[in-house]
Amino acid sequence: MSGNIDTKTAKMDLQAGKAVLSQRRGSIIGSIFLMATSAIGPGFITQTATFTFQFGAAFGFAILVSILIDVAVQMNIWRMIVVSGKRAGELANEAIRGSGFLLALLIIGGGLVFNIGNIAGGGMGMNAMLGIDSKLGGLITAVCAICIFLWKRAGKIMDAIIVCLGIVMICLTLYVSVVSAPPIGEALKQTVLPESIHWATVTTIVGGTVGGYITYSGAHRVLDSGFSGPGAVKTVSRGSVNGVVVTGVMRYLLFLACLGVGAAVVARDTSAVIMELIPPEMNPSGWAFLQVMGDAGLRIFGVILWAAAISSVIGAAFTSVSFFSVFNKKLAGGWARNIATVVFIAVSLICFLVWGKAPGTLLVFAGGLNGLILPIGLTIFMYIGWFRADLLNGYKYPKWLLGFGTAATLLSWYMAAVSIQPIFNMLSAA
């Protein structure tokens, strides 16, 4: 009899263990897509089209540099946060007193600017998809995001929705990039050997794909799943790289789609300046999709932009509010944090409704602003890696990875220094 009980207990323990592993695997996949879809926002889509039309195939080099920086940043940030078991602000405060508060203020501020742009992007997406007013579309987008955080199982629902939206965006963009017939050979050549380099552009797209809150979104989601400590290193390293790969694939596909449209326009009229052909009220990516597939292309663009917008609203709100715990421990989890997240989205919505002018410019500016914030957070974490290894639970941090991260940090400081004026000029020109 005892043997039967022991066998049943062992089976139950095995099933429980499998359930935990399955849940954690789902959380890791959700974390990958949370980071990737936070990066693949409306600003990302607007930036990619704008810069592709401005710089042509040479923009491929900027994408390559951004991916390399992204890998260096995410591998270091994910690893330090998860190994320590502490959120970014708390870990920063332990390393350098007060730095966590500074980092939190910068991330929350940058996240708010980004989220206003994300809601604007949601409005633009619904306008392209259904023809409704952009402000009404932004309102619907924000309300949908708020509803997710009002559910008791917000974490699981968020993971599932984020993964689905990410897959939809990539598949639709792949289709359009094939139909547009881009000059792939020229694109690959200039990705490695560009005719010109525009560092303000690189700073803006780095900020849009890994700057500000995006840097910490995936790692904070991993912590929420209960996955932390030195034993999690292999899993989070793979997850951080996969997140960057998803972002890079999406960006390059969109780049190719816009490049194909640009090449076709120039072939018809060699003197054409593409950005001058795009109506001021129209998103550059939407215009590109319209050229490729007519009205159906515009509807597809609307779906992609709205999916990018709502997933980024979720990611920006989740990550920005995760920094609130630096100021009040009660906001570290549970309903208190969900309510704070709802309030954060509501404030973003109000700002959008009050100041909804030039959303395309705001989206590009938001990426640039977060690119300026990036080196500050990176510097704090590189300091932790080099001088405060005692905060990493006995983990022996690889020096090659610190070197890679330090190189990315120095490059991000250089890009911020040479780009600050052009980036703020974008906003003053709005």
Side-chain angles (χ1 to χ4, degrees), residues 72 76 382 386 397-410:
N76 276 285
M382 289 305 101
W386 286 112
Y397 209 91
K399 293 295 186 287
W400 69 267
L401 186 55
L402 277 177
F404 192 22
T406 301
T409 303
L410 294 173

Side-chain angles (χ1 to χ4, degrees), residues 56-99:
F59 180 58
F61 175 77
I63 295 175
L64 176 62
V65 173
S66 74
I67 290 172
L68 293 175
I69 294 175
D70 288 1
V71 170
V73 170
Q74 295 291 9
M75 285 189 72
N76 276 285
I77 298 297
W78 278 49
R79 187 173 300 215
M80 287 187 199
I81 288 175
V82 175
V83 165
S84 70
K86 298 180 179 72
R87 289 188 176 88
E90 295 156 8
L91 182 57
N93 265 343
E94 289 192 22
I96 306 170
R97 181 177 294 182
S99 64

